[in-house]
Amino acid sequence: MCGIVGYVGQRSAQEILLAGLEKVEYRGYDSAGVSVLRDGAIASVRAVGELSNLRAAVHDAADASGDVLEGSTAVAVAERAPMTGIGHTRWATHGRVTESNAHPHFDTSDRVHVVVNGIVENYMVLKRRLVDMGAAFTSETDAEVIAHLVSHHMARGSLVEAVRAAYAELQGHYAFVVMSADEPDTLVGARKECPLVIGCGDGEQFVGSDIACFLEHTRDVQYVLDGELVVLRPAGVDFMSADGTPLERAVTHVDWDAETAEKGGYETFMLKEIHDQADAVAETIRPRTLGTAGVDLADPDFDEALLHGIDRVLILAAGTSFHAGLIARYAIEEWARVPVEMDIASEWIYRNPIVSERELVIGITQSGETADTLTAMRLARERGAKVIACTNVRGSSVTRECDGVLYTRAGAEVSVAATKTFVCQVATMYLLALRLAELRGAMEPARIAALLAEIKHLPHQITELIEGLNGRLLATAEKHAPSTFFLYLGRHVGRAVALEGALKLKEISYIATDAYAGGEMKHGPIALLDEQTPVVCIATDMPILDKMVGNIEEVRARGAHVIAVATEGDDRIEPVAEETFFVPRTDWMLQALLAVIPLQLFAYHIARKRGLNVDKPRNLAKTVTVE
C-alpha cells in the first residue's frame, strides 16, 4: 500500500514531490523520502514517521542557497536544466521501520534510485546473485534489489532497456519508478498488478500511485495497465509492453475536484475502500506467504515463539473487529484444534476473568486505540497471558500493550464504516490459524498447502466478485430501501458474516436490523416476520448448509422475502430464495471473507438510495477511545 510520486520538467521537483506525497500518505505513513537529480548527482532525504518528519528533515538539511535537493532556486525556470525526482511514502512489509529501509533505494554507485509499491517475491534469489557480483545492499527490504538489478543491466544498455531486462526477472506484484543520474531527463515506470497513473503537462510529466498526487498541476491523465512500462521525459510519455512493443494510450481529461481525486473517482470513500479490498488483502497476505513451505508470521514486531506452548486462545474485540474474531474462532478451532473463547472486550474485563500463562490472548482493533480492547489486553497481560494484537496502525497504543503485533496492511480507511480493514483482519486471522495448525501438526502438509493456495487466490476472487455484483445489487437495494426492518441469518461461520452485514446496514442506513444464528430464529425472532420483512441469509457451501436451507424454508413459510448469499455452482439456494448473489467457490471456511462483500455493497446502495452520508454516519466515530 505504499505511495509513489515522480516528476520530470522545469519546475522545482522538491515541492511537487512533497505535496504529491501528502495526497498519497494514506497509502503508508511508516517513513518517507524523496530523491532529486542535482548537478549530475542524485540528492536524497529520508525520514521515519509521518510526512511532516520528512519535511522537517528537508528543512534541516537545507543549504544557504535555498533548496537542499536542487541547489539555488534563483535561476529562472526557463533557464533550468530539466528537474527529475521521485518520492515515496512507505507501509512497511519487508524490514523494520528505519531510515535505511525507507525509499528511495539506490544502487552501490548511488547513480540509480527507485521507489516501489508492492512486493518482490524472488528478491532473495536476486539479492544473492547481485551480492556475488559486488552489489552492496544497505537495507533489509525486498525493494532495494530493483535498484541494483537495473544498475547491473545499465552496463549493457539504456535506462529503458535496463528496466525491461529487470522487469523480466522480477516476480511478485509491484509498481516502481526508476531514475538514473546518467539519464537526467528520464523516468521509467513499470506496473505489475499495483496501480500507476500518468499526469500529462506542458513540458513536464507526472507519475503516481493516485491521480490526487498531481491533480493540482494537470487534469490530463494516462493509465498504465498491467504488464506495461512507461517512459517519462519533459516532452512527453511513451508506453510499451514488457517486450518493448510501443503502445498507444489515449489521454483522459478528468473533471475531478481535490476531494473526488482523493476518493479515486468514486462517489464516496466507502465505495472506494470496498473496491480497494483486493489490493488490501493482497498486501496483507503476500509478505507472509512468499515461500513454498507454509505461512511465515515472523517479523520484527512478532516472534512466533508466542505461538508455542499454548492450551487455549482468547479473542477480545469490539464492533466489526469482534465479527472478524468470530470467524477467527471457527478457523482456529477447525484447523489448529485449539479451544477458542471469544468475548466482547468491554464485557470480559468485568467478569473477573481467569487466564493463564499457557493462554494466547488476541486483541483485534482496527485503529489500535479502541479503549475497551486496550483495557482488556492490559488485564490479560497482567494476569500472565501471552498477548498479541491485530491492528492496522503502526505506533498505535495497542502496539505498546502487547507481546507481539500482527499488522494488517489495509492502508488508511477514511469512511467510518469498516470494510477493507475487516477483510484484512479476517485474512490475517486465517494465516494465524494455519500457522498454529502447522506448529501443532494438526493438519496434513498437503491440506495446509491447498488452503494456502486458495488464500493466495482471494484477491483475484474479490476483484471478480465486485465487478460482477454492482448492477443486480443496486436493483435489489432500490427495491428494499423503503423497508423499516431487516433480519440477517447465518449458521456456523455464516453467523459472523450475518452479524457484520447487519451492522453495516445499521451503521450507514439507520434501519433497524437484527442478526441471529439460523437455529435460534424459531426461539423468538420468527415472530417478527411477515410479508414486508426482507431476510438476508448467508447460505454459502459449508458442512451444515442443509440446516440453513431448512431455516430459509421456515422464513418463506411466513411470507418474508429471502435475499441469499450462496456459492457459485450451488443449485440448492436459488429455488428457495427470491434473489441470490453468488460468491466464487473456494474452501468453505474462506468463503466467509468473500460473503461479506455483497452485504457491504447492499448496505451501501440502500443508504445512498435513502440519501445518507455513508462516510460519516450520525453518532459514530472511526475510533472509540472512551469506554
Side-chain angles (χ1 to χ4, degrees):
M1 294 297 292
C2 303
I4 288 173
V5 63
Y7 172 78
V8 58
Q10 302 297 130
R11 288 193 283 165
S12 168
Q14 174 182 303
E15 185 51 39
I16 289 172
L17 297 174
L18 290 171
L21 289 176
E22 288 175 349
K23 300 299 184 182
V24 291
E25 191 177 13
Y26 72 90
R27 299 183 64 87
Y29 31 80
D30 295 332
S31 58
V34 288
S35 292
V36 174
L37 271 165
R38 171 184 177 182
D39 302 327
I42 301 176
S44 188
V45 177
R46 300 181 293 181
V48 170
E50 298 180 354
L51 195 61
S52 58
N53 295 350
L54 177 62
R55 279 198 175 273
V58 169
H59 179 268
D60 292 345
D63 58 21
S65 60
D67 211 325
V68 62
L69 295 174
E70 296 162 352
S72 174
T73 57
V75 180
V77 169
E79 299 173 15
R80 291 180 184 166
M83 298 229 177
T84 307
I86 53 178
H88 186 272
T89 182
R90 182 179 185 232
W91 185 270
T93 53
H94 292 71
R96 296 165 296 166
V97 179
T98 64
E99 187 174 316
S100 62
N101 287 334
H103 300 221
H105 290 296
F106 45 85
D107 70 326
T108 308
S109 65
D110 200 23
R111 303 287 289 173
V112 173
H113 281 221
V114 63
V115 288
V116 185
N117 170 30
I119 295 169
V120 180
E121 294 180 356
N122 62 332
Y123 81 101
M124 285 302 300
V125 173
L126 295 172
K127 182 175 181 177
R128 284 193 291 268
R129 195 183 88 205
L130 290 161
V131 168
D132 289 344
M133 291 188 295
F137 281 72
T138 60
S139 80
E140 303 166 312
T141 70
D142 58 325
E144 187 184 348
V145 74
I146 297 178
H148 293 282
L149 193 59
V150 170
S151 177
H152 165 68
H153 288 299
M154 279 193 73
R156 297 189 298 275
S158 68
L159 180 59
V160 176
E161 292 166 341
V163 171
R164 278 188 51 221
Y167 186 86
E169 296 191 65
L170 297 170
Q171 297 172 15
H173 74 293
Y174 49 76
F176 65 84
V177 179
V178 185
M179 69 179 186
S180 169
D182 298 324
E183 297 186 29
D185 64 344
T186 303
L187 291 177
V188 181
R191 178 189 172 185
K192 186 176 182 183
E193 299 181 26
C194 292
L196 204 61
V197 63
I198 304 300
C200 306
D202 183 8
E204 60 184 3
Q205 312 299 330
F206 308 82
V207 60
S209 300
D210 193 312
I211 291 173
C213 67
F214 52 70
L215 187 70
E216 66 178 285
H217 306 294
T218 179
R219 294 176 184 270
D220 293 328
V221 304
Q222 294 174 296
Y223 296 97
V224 185
L225 303 185
D226 198 27
E228 292 183 352
L229 276 61
V230 61
V231 185
L232 292 81
R233 298 185 179 93
V237 181
D238 295 315
F239 286 75
M240 66 182 69
S241 62
D243 65 6
T245 303
L247 302 170
E248 296 294 326
R249 185 57 38 78
V251 175
T252 301
H253 184 79
V254 294
D255 270 332
W256 296 353
D257 56 25
E259 183 180 359
T260 304
E262 290 177 6
K263 295 172 184 171
Y266 294 100
E267 61 181 3
T268 65
F269 280 109
M270 184 177 177
L271 188 59
K272 176 185 183 296
E273 287 156 8
I274 289 171
H275 282 77
D276 281 347
Q277 288 179 121
D279 282 347
V281 170
E283 292 284 351
T284 294
I285 65 177
R286 281 177 175 163
R288 293 156 174 150
T289 58
L290 292 178
T292 57
V295 178
D296 182 7
L297 298 178
D299 183 89
D301 296 296
F302 188 81
D303 184 351
E304 287 196 336
L306 292 165
L307 305 181
H308 294 275
I310 62 170
D311 297 330
R312 193 171 76 119
V313 173
L314 168 65
I315 302 174
L316 299 168
T320 283
S321 296
F322 178 81
H323 304 150
L326 282 175
I327 295 173
R329 180 178 70 180
Y330 286 111
I332 293 170
E333 289 193 337
E334 180 76 21
W335 295 343
R337 304 308 296 153
V338 185
V340 181
E341 182 183 352
M342 178 83 221
D343 209 343
I344 297 168
S346 58
E347 290 295 310
W348 183 82
I349 57 179
Y350 297 113
R351 283 173 44 189
N352 192 18
I354 302 168
V355 295
S356 77
E357 61 185 17
R358 295 183 64 84
E359 186 161 1
L360 178 68
V361 175
I362 306 169
I364 306 177
T365 160
Q366 174 275 134
S367 65
E369 304 291 347
T370 308
D372 303 330
T373 307
L374 277 165
T375 302
M377 290 171 67
R378 288 189 197 111
L379 179 59
R381 208 173 181 201
E382 288 169 4
R383 298 194 176 187
K386 300 174 182 178
V387 178
I388 67 174
C390 176
T391 187
N392 195 49
V393 182
R394 288 184 180 271
S396 56
S397 297
V398 76
T399 65
R400 299 184 292 276
E401 302 286 349
C402 62
D403 301 302
V405 186
L406 290 172
Y407 286 106
T408 56
R409 297 184 171 100
E413 190 174 63
V414 178
S415 184
V416 168
T419 52
K420 65 178 180 174
T421 54
F422 171 78
V423 295
C424 287
Q425 287 171 345
V426 174
T428 302
M429 291 297 102
Y430 283 151
L431 295 179
L432 175 63
L434 270 188
R435 185 60 181 143
L436 281 168
E438 288 179 314
L439 293 172
R440 297 171 66 86
M443 278 201 295
E444 292 295 323
R447 171 67 174 143
I448 292 173
L451 282 168
L452 197 54
E454 297 206 46
I455 288 173
K456 290 180 178 180
H457 195 50
L458 284 172
H460 172 76
Q461 292 178 315
I462 293 169
T463 299
E464 177 185 278
L465 177 60
I466 291 174
E467 288 176 352
L469 277 176
N470 253 330
R472 286 186 58 229
L473 263 177
L474 178 59
T476 303
E478 289 178 343
K479 175 181 175 182
H480 294 287
S483 300
T484 57
F485 172 72
F486 281 75
L487 181 65
Y488 282 62
L489 296 176
R491 300 194 75 137
H492 199 274
V493 73
R495 171 175 166 257
V497 177
L499 286 165
E500 176 60 13
L503 178 61
K504 285 290 144 308
L505 190 65
K506 292 175 192 174
E507 286 179 315
I508 63 175
S509 73
Y510 317 147
I511 296 174
T513 308
D514 216 340
Y516 272 86
E520 283 291 289
M521 180 182 59
K522 64 177 73 69
H523 295 280
I526 199 167
L528 295 168
L529 302 185
D530 60 24
E531 293 81 1
Q532 306 302 316
T533 313
V535 181
V536 180
C537 298
I538 314 307
T540 53
D541 191 15
M542 65 177 70
I544 60 167
L545 179 58
D546 289 343
K547 298 290 186 183
M548 189 65 214
V549 172
N551 296 140
I552 293 174
E553 293 281 16
E554 292 168 346
V555 169
R556 292 184 70 208
R558 275 72 188 174
H561 305 282
V562 176
I563 304 162
V565 177
T567 303
E568 210 168 55
D570 193 325
D571 60 5
R572 290 172 286 182
I573 307 305
E574 276 193 298
V576 296
E578 289 184 21
E579 294 153 291
T580 307
F581 298 96
F582 291 100
V583 299
R585 180 167 292 279
T586 186
D587 181 85
W588 66 270
M589 185 70 74
L590 303 181
Q591 286 177 38
L593 185 149
L594 298 173
V596 79
I597 294 172
L599 306 187
Q600 294 171 346
L601 284 165
F602 183 61
Y604 177 85
H605 289 309
I606 285 179
R608 294 295 288 174
K609 182 67 178 176
R610 293 164 72 97
L612 300 172
N613 183 345
V614 297
D615 286 336
K616 296 179 180 179
R618 70 188 182 199
N619 303 331
L620 297 178
K622 187 66 179 170
T623 304
V624 182
T625 58
V626 295
E627 187 178 345

